Amino acid sequence: MSPSGISFGGLFDEARIVARSLGEAVSGALDPTIRLGVTGLSRAGKTVFLTALVQALVNGARLPAFRAYAEGRIAGARLAPQPDDAVPRFEVEQHFRALTGAERGWPDSTRRISELRVVVDFEAHGFLTGSRTRRRLTLDIVDYPGEWLLDLALLGQDFREWSERTLASSDGPTRAPIARNWRTHLDTLDPLKPESEDDARAAAALFAAYLKAGRNDRVALSTLPPGRFLMPGDLEGSPALTFAPLALPEEGGAPSGSLWAMMERRYEAYRSHVVKPFFRDHFSRLDRQVVLVDALAALNAGPEAVADLENALADVLSAFRHGRNSWLSSLFRPKVDRLLFAATKADHLHHTSHDRLEAILRRLVSRAIERAEFGGAAVDVVALAAVRATREATARQGRQELPVIVGVPEKGERSNGQIFDGEEEIAVFPGDLPADPEVALRSGGYQGLAASEDGGDLRFVKFRPPKLVTTDRAPQLPHIRLDRSLEFLIGDALA
Ligand code: GDP
């Protein structure tokens, strides 16, 4: 990294962040403002969660554990124009229509950052006077791909360091087979040869394919930066992503006009024009964060995927840790005071296993906390379904009564050739999670969703979203423990 660029850029960034925080603190003195980040790896459930959360605030839902709501102190909530004009809006109406319209399907997933402001009018307890006072909470919600968090590490690594680390990690037993194509090509590349767009493009394409294979092959392989190679957002197909690590000579710097110099320049451009603005303008401003995790998918895939998930959680936690890292990356860490880890899609389990799923995630998170030496923010864990696509029932098998979940699978063909018409319900024995989280983690412990009433394997069945529950207020989406999540994330601001 170039030292002069960093010190000026860094001080300037610091001044901007401090000035902004002061402004935000003054304007929030009477009425609270919270910037809530929603993240998680691709398919974790961010879009569905945020859509359901906003719907619950604006249209209401069954929310007994969300105290301000249950006590009737929320006078109303509405969407308001977002504060940052340069950020795309989270299209909550469109997502809600997708979930509840005639097609009743899942909305398009998160691919880039987006933002939404919700204004909540509420009555605060007047602790001194005993009377209630009218207040307003401004909740700014920022939805962004969890893959982008990986890039925080790059702020403290120059091109040489990043190349060395990336190469070393691709030698490991799990990664070596999927890295082979890229590494074979890399062996043919002399960093000192003249720069060439064709070489850069070929190396970047093979390197990106390797990173994506790590992400796709298994459920939760802990991922490697650069995050935009996995989730490019608006940079899809852009030359900004045309670089890759090189096997560099041990000594010396990049000769001008060489492939090495070209890759180094592009890596630096990625850091200063892509990574830094995201962390400076968005990440560093968060007050609270929810991290969504598809823990069930990892449990279904076995112990290795569970171990990978634990690594991924430690990575996420370290992005929020203050302290020992490079001063530059710690400058971009937000001062979050609450951090919620949520295991999503709990509606694939019978309610008797919801606490067990929570206990498993709690164990994973506490181990990750130890590894990341995380201290500071309050951390909680919840197993939830932002949109509950199943209901519970009992099925009789001989003399036995078995708890089942019932839902409508999406239209399509099952691996055994059975056709789902997208209308008819099926009952599934979801299987139990082990009561002891250690057993679940050691064994990968869960072979749930293993059988339908007719014994077929339904491990990967995808249920359609449910029909709306009609109430006297507005149509509502059923959920599991969304109210507990709301209470942890914003309940104290509404006290
Ligand atoms: P994102 O990539 O994190 O934005 O993930 P999405 O919110 O798009 O969710 C990915 C997929 O997970 C959806 O298309 C649904 O199939 C499934 N999903 C997410 N949340 C739920 C939930 O609460 N219940 C059920 N049954 N499925 C869910």
Side-chain angles (χ1 to χ4, degrees):
M1 67 180 67
S2 105
S4 60
I6 277 177
S7 56
F8 284 119
L11 288 179
F12 182 59
D13 288 330
E14 188 166 29
R16 268 165 61 171
I17 290 170
V18 170
R20 196 168 49 208
S21 310
L22 279 176
E24 282 167 4
V26 170
S27 66
L30 294 175
D31 288 326
T33 298
I34 293 179
R35 270 184 95 81
L36 170 66
V38 176
T39 198
L41 294 179
S42 154
R43 315 294 295 164
K46 297 179 288 296
T47 310
V48 175
F49 174 81
L50 185 43
T51 306
L53 182 141
V54 172
Q55 275 303 316
L57 284 174
V58 174
N59 283 342
R62 249 197 99 253
L63 304 169
F66 183 33
R67 294 237 309 275
Y69 185 86
E71 291 168 3
R73 291 189 293 105
I74 295 194
R78 62 188 165 78
L79 301 176
Q82 65 190 61
D84 302 294
D85 291 332
V87 181
R89 180 173 181 274
F90 180 83
E91 297 296 354
V92 67
E93 299 87 354
Q94 189 183 317
H95 297 319
F96 187 66
R97 269 199 305 278
L99 275 168
T100 57
E103 297 287 314
R104 252 180 47 241
W106 298 99
D108 290 341
S109 299
T110 298
R111 307 204 54 82
R112 57 178 187 178
I113 189 167
S114 64
E115 190 181 54
L116 194 69
R117 171 171 280 188
V118 185
V119 173
V120 184
D121 289 315
F122 68 100
E123 289 183 339
H125 290 300
F127 285 110
L128 293 178
T129 58
S131 63
R132 290 180 171 186
T133 40
R134 196 68 178 257
R135 286 279 179 75
R136 174 167 293 178
L137 165 69
T138 304
L139 181 62
D140 289 327
I141 312 178
V142 184
D143 175 37
Y144 64 93
E147 286 80 357
W148 293 7
L149 280 181
L150 304 167
D151 285 343
L152 190 64
L154 299 187
L155 290 175
Q157 290 169 27
D158 62 14
F159 181 66
R160 174 183 286 284
E161 244 179 301
W162 173 64
S163 289
E164 282 168 3
R165 283 189 195 209
T166 308
L167 259 80
S169 70
S170 71
D171 286 333
T174 337
R175 291 190 171 272
I178 51 175
R180 191 164 299 129
N181 284 347
W182 164 56
R183 292 297 297 266
T184 309
H185 178 259
L186 188 63
D187 289 343
T188 68
L189 278 185
D190 177 1
L192 303 177
K193 75 192 268 199
E195 65 177 26
S196 139
E197 190 62 49
D198 285 349
D199 283 342
R201 245 192 248 176
L206 287 165
F207 176 58
Y210 152 59
L211 293 183
K212 283 186 188 138
R215 175 76 188 100
N216 296 339
D217 273 9
R218 297 181 323 161
V219 182
L221 189 67
S222 54
T223 35
L224 286 175
R228 295 297 199 291
F229 280 60
L230 296 158
M231 190 55 79
D234 297 334
L235 294 180
E236 185 93 59
S238 148
L241 302 185
T242 319
F243 64 94
L246 290 174
L248 299 178
E250 283 189 11
E251 299 285 321
S256 83
S258 64
L259 184 64
W260 178 357
M262 181 189 202
M263 293 292 206
E264 189 164 61
R265 211 171 48 238
R266 289 185 175 179
Y267 172 78
E268 290 302 338
Y270 178 76
R271 291 202 318 167
S272 49
H273 299 307
V274 178
V275 180
K276 239 164 118 181
F278 167 68
F279 284 98
R280 183 191 58 214
D281 300 339
H282 304 297
F283 186 67
S284 71
R285 295 166 65 197
L286 298 176
D287 304 311
R288 300 201 168 162
Q289 176 71 53
V290 51
V291 180
L292 303 174
V293 184
D294 193 347
L296 272 179
L299 287 165
N300 247 336
E304 240 186 307
V306 170
D308 282 331
L309 176 57
E310 189 178 329
N311 286 337
L313 292 178
D315 285 351
V316 168
L317 275 159
S318 71
F320 289 93
R321 178 182 52 152
H322 291 263
R324 290 204 279 140
N325 272 272
S326 85
W327 68 272
L328 187 63
S329 57
S330 54
L331 175 62
F332 293 115
R333 282 170 213 279
K335 313 264 182 296
V336 294
D337 57 358
R338 285 177 184 232
L339 187 51
L340 178 68
F341 288 94
T344 51
K345 312 178 197 179
D347 54 333
H348 287 93
L349 294 172
H350 194 260
H351 75 266
T352 46
S353 282
H354 293 163
D355 285 344
R356 295 180 178 187
L357 178 59
E358 223 161 85
I360 292 168
L361 185 62
R362 196 174 292 280
R363 186 64 57 98
L364 273 174
V365 168
S366 58
R367 292 207 310 221
I369 283 178
E370 277 168 33
R371 283 182 33 198
E373 296 173 43
F374 178 83
V379 179
D380 202 3
V381 161
V382 68
L384 64 80
V387 172
R388 179 178 197 156
T390 66
R391 60 187 169 81
E392 294 186 354
T394 37
R396 198 169 269 291
Q397 202 178 48
R399 294 183 161 200
Q400 238 188 338
E401 294 229 312
L402 288 172
V404 291
I405 55 170
V406 178
V408 179
E410 284 191 339
K411 198 170 173 175
E413 192 173 337
R414 238 161 101 180
S415 52
N416 67 358
Q418 188 187 351
I419 310 272
F420 291 132
D421 65 3
E423 298 298 333
E424 208 176 323
E425 285 189 328
I426 61 162
V428 177
F429 302 116
D432 278 335
L433 288 174
D436 180 351
E438 281 302 334
V439 172
L441 295 177
R442 261 200 313 275
S443 60
Y446 171 59
Q447 297 302 314
L449 293 186
S452 65
E453 269 184 326
D454 60 10
D457 186 349
L458 285 169
R459 200 159 312 158
F460 300 109
V461 73
K462 205 170 157 190
F463 294 106
R464 281 182 75 187
K467 292 205 170 109
L468 282 171
V469 180
T470 315
T471 65
D472 47 356
R473 286 185 65 171
Q476 296 176 357
L477 288 164
H479 67 86
I480 296 169
R481 298 186 180 175
L482 188 62
D483 49 342
R484 262 193 48 197
S485 313
L486 274 165
E487 180 62 24
F488 179 74
L489 291 170
I490 59 170
D492 61 320
L494 301 170

